[in-house]
Amino acid sequence: MDTNGLFMVFTGNGKGKTTAALGMALRAAGHGLSVLILQFLKGSWKYGELEALKRFDTVTIRTLGSGFTWTKENLDEDRRLAREGWELASSEIRGGGYDIVILDEINVVLSYGLLSSEEVLGAVSDRPARLHVVATGRNAPEELIRAADLVTEMREVKHPFRDRGVKAQKGIEF
Amino acid sequence: MDTNGLFMVFTGNGKGKTTAALGMALRAAGHGLSVLILQFLKGSWKYGELEALKRFDTVTIRTLGSGFTWTKENLDEDRRLAREGWELASSEIRGGGYDIVILDEINVVLSYGLLSSEEVLGAVSDRPARLHVVATGRNAPEELIRAADLVTEMREVKHPFRDRGVKAQKGIEF
């Protein structure tokens, strides 16, 4: 196989990061490639995405981030949960059972210090040569950006739900 | 129906604009919404995307931009083609037979002056209230950005195919 796996980062404060990851998963599935989506924050993949993914046998989604409290009092517990999720992610990346692994919202977990960039980059550099890895979420750490092959910052120019108080909408936001 | 249609713009020089539009189309399809994708530049939707879209009965894709030459000599002919495509797009937007209309790469057509922003914004403002319209492509004109409800700029931070001469890859790039 002549494919050379890429490490890609989608970051920034704008909309489109998870949407682009979904599009990438489905484009890959259209080629018959196998995709593992590991969801580090509960709830970022909602009804519409999940229904769409069901049409594709080669796309698997797993939730890792249930239970984060994001409070200072429970920092140790949140770190333990992050580590637990990461053990699984790391072994999937190193194991190479998929063509693409999407670490959805892992940048947020990293930016809160629940995991270290070194650990993530360790697994990324140990991965099988053909495996693509995608890390999404705002505030991607500098180390990830330096190590990545492709980085897109989704920059928010205008947002209706904040700027004009528009209600989030079925099929668009979730 | 309490949905208030949004006009959204994905622009910028980074990767992820068409991928996000694809993700949005499939998320919406997951909800059973109907989506029309009008492709203003031939070739921006490739094998993987097109295969993925085939799984969804409620997503239609049509190519409008076949034949653009992008040369000064043929400017009049390119304008004629753009107008022909726009007639169709405009009537679909005003007609309201879909829940979402994606004008893929229309920003490029606008930025080359093959269509005017006023025409596009005219149709957008005449649309049925519940219809979402998405305009993608680099160099979105200022007028579109001002009129949009949501704008994300996909900013290229790093690109492997240019920076390091990496070959475009199946399932990722196309």
Side-chain angles (χ1 to χ4, degrees):
Chain A
M1 197 169 180
D2 68 341
T3 332
N4 216 331
L6 299 174
F7 175 43
M8 291 166 275
V9 174
F10 289 149
T11 191
N13 63 351
K15 293 206 43 78
K17 297 181 293 291
T18 290
T19 318
L22 172 70
M24 186 169 276
L26 297 188
R27 170 192 292 142
H31 279 286
L33 300 179
S34 63
V35 184
L36 175 64
I37 300 167
L38 296 171
Q39 185 187 341
F40 277 84
L41 295 190
K42 207 185 159 183
S44 62
W45 292 70
K46 300 194 188 73
Y47 180 84
E49 285 97 336
L50 299 174
E51 280 303 304
L53 291 175
K54 282 185 189 160
R55 312 277 178 104
F56 298 89
D57 294 342
T58 60
V59 182
T60 307
I61 182 162
R62 292 173 73 169
T63 306
L64 304 176
S66 303
F68 284 131
T69 61
W70 303 105
T71 59
K72 220 171 157 181
E73 295 71 37
N74 292 307
L75 185 61
D76 286 347
E77 175 59 11
D78 280 2
R79 281 201 175 124
R80 198 188 58 73
L81 282 169
R83 176 140 323 278
E84 213 175 273
W86 174 247
E87 299 293 338
L88 192 149
S90 158
S91 81
E92 293 290 5
I93 292 169
R94 290 185 161 100
Y98 295 88
D99 296 302
I100 302 183
V101 175
I102 296 175
L103 306 170
D104 192 59
E105 301 285 10
I106 197 172
N107 298 339
V108 177
V109 178
L110 287 165
S111 75
Y112 278 93
L114 301 182
L115 281 179
S116 80
S117 299
E118 290 68 32
E119 288 174 286
V120 173
L121 293 177
V124 164
S125 87
D126 286 354
R127 78 191 189 278
R130 58 163 185 72
L131 178 68
H132 301 293
V133 176
V134 185
T136 81
R138 54 179 68 199
N139 299 324
E142 246 333 283
E143 300 83 30
L144 251 68
I145 290 175
R146 269 201 300 272
D149 298 303
L150 181 148
V151 180
T152 300
E153 179 196 347
M154 274 72 169
R155 199 171 68 83
E156 178 182 304
V157 179
K158 226 183 208 182
H159 192 301
F161 312 116
R162 261 196 297 283
D163 296 353
R164 302 193 299 135
V166 173
K167 218 167 68 175
Q169 284 174 44
K170 187 173 84 170
I172 298 297
E173 277 287 282
F174 58 93
Chain B
M1 197 167 181
D2 68 342
T3 332
N4 216 330
L6 299 174
F7 175 42
M8 292 166 274
V9 174
F10 290 149
T11 191
N13 63 350
K15 294 206 43 76
K17 296 182 293 290
T18 289
T19 319
L22 172 69
M24 187 169 277
L26 297 188
R27 169 192 294 142
H31 279 284
L33 300 179
S34 63
V35 183
L36 175 64
I37 301 167
L38 295 172
Q39 184 188 341
F40 278 84
L41 294 190
K42 206 185 159 182
S44 63
W45 292 71
K46 300 195 187 72
Y47 181 84
E49 284 96 339
L50 298 174
E51 281 302 304
L53 291 175
K54 282 185 189 159
R55 314 275 178 105
F56 298 89
D57 294 343
T58 61
V59 181
T60 306
I61 182 162
R62 292 174 71 170
T63 306
L64 304 176
S66 305
F68 284 131
T69 60
W70 303 106
T71 58
K72 221 172 157 180
E73 295 71 36
N74 292 306
L75 185 61
D76 285 347
E77 175 61 10
D78 281 2
R79 281 202 175 122
R80 198 189 56 75
L81 281 169
R83 177 140 322 279
E84 213 175 273
W86 174 248
E87 300 293 338
L88 192 147
S90 158
S91 83
E92 292 290 6
I93 292 169
R94 290 184 161 100
Y98 294 88
D99 297 301
I100 302 182
V101 175
I102 296 175
L103 305 170
D104 192 59
E105 302 283 10
I106 197 172
N107 297 339
V108 176
V109 177
L110 287 165
S111 75
Y112 278 93
L114 302 182
L115 282 179
S116 80
S117 299
E118 289 67 34
E119 288 173 287
V120 174
L121 293 177
V124 164
S125 87
D126 286 355
R127 78 191 190 278
R130 57 163 185 72
L131 178 68
H132 302 292
V133 176
V134 185
T136 81
R138 55 179 68 199
N139 299 324
E142 246 333 283
E143 300 83 30
L144 251 69
I145 290 175
R146 269 201 300 273
D149 299 303
L150 181 147
V151 180
T152 299
E153 179 197 346
M154 274 71 169
R155 200 171 69 81
E156 177 182 305
V157 179
K158 226 183 208 182
H159 193 302
F161 312 116
R162 262 197 298 283
D163 297 353
R164 300 192 300 135
V166 172
K167 218 168 67 176
Q169 284 174 43
K170 187 173 85 170
I172 298 297
E173 278 288 282
F174 59 92

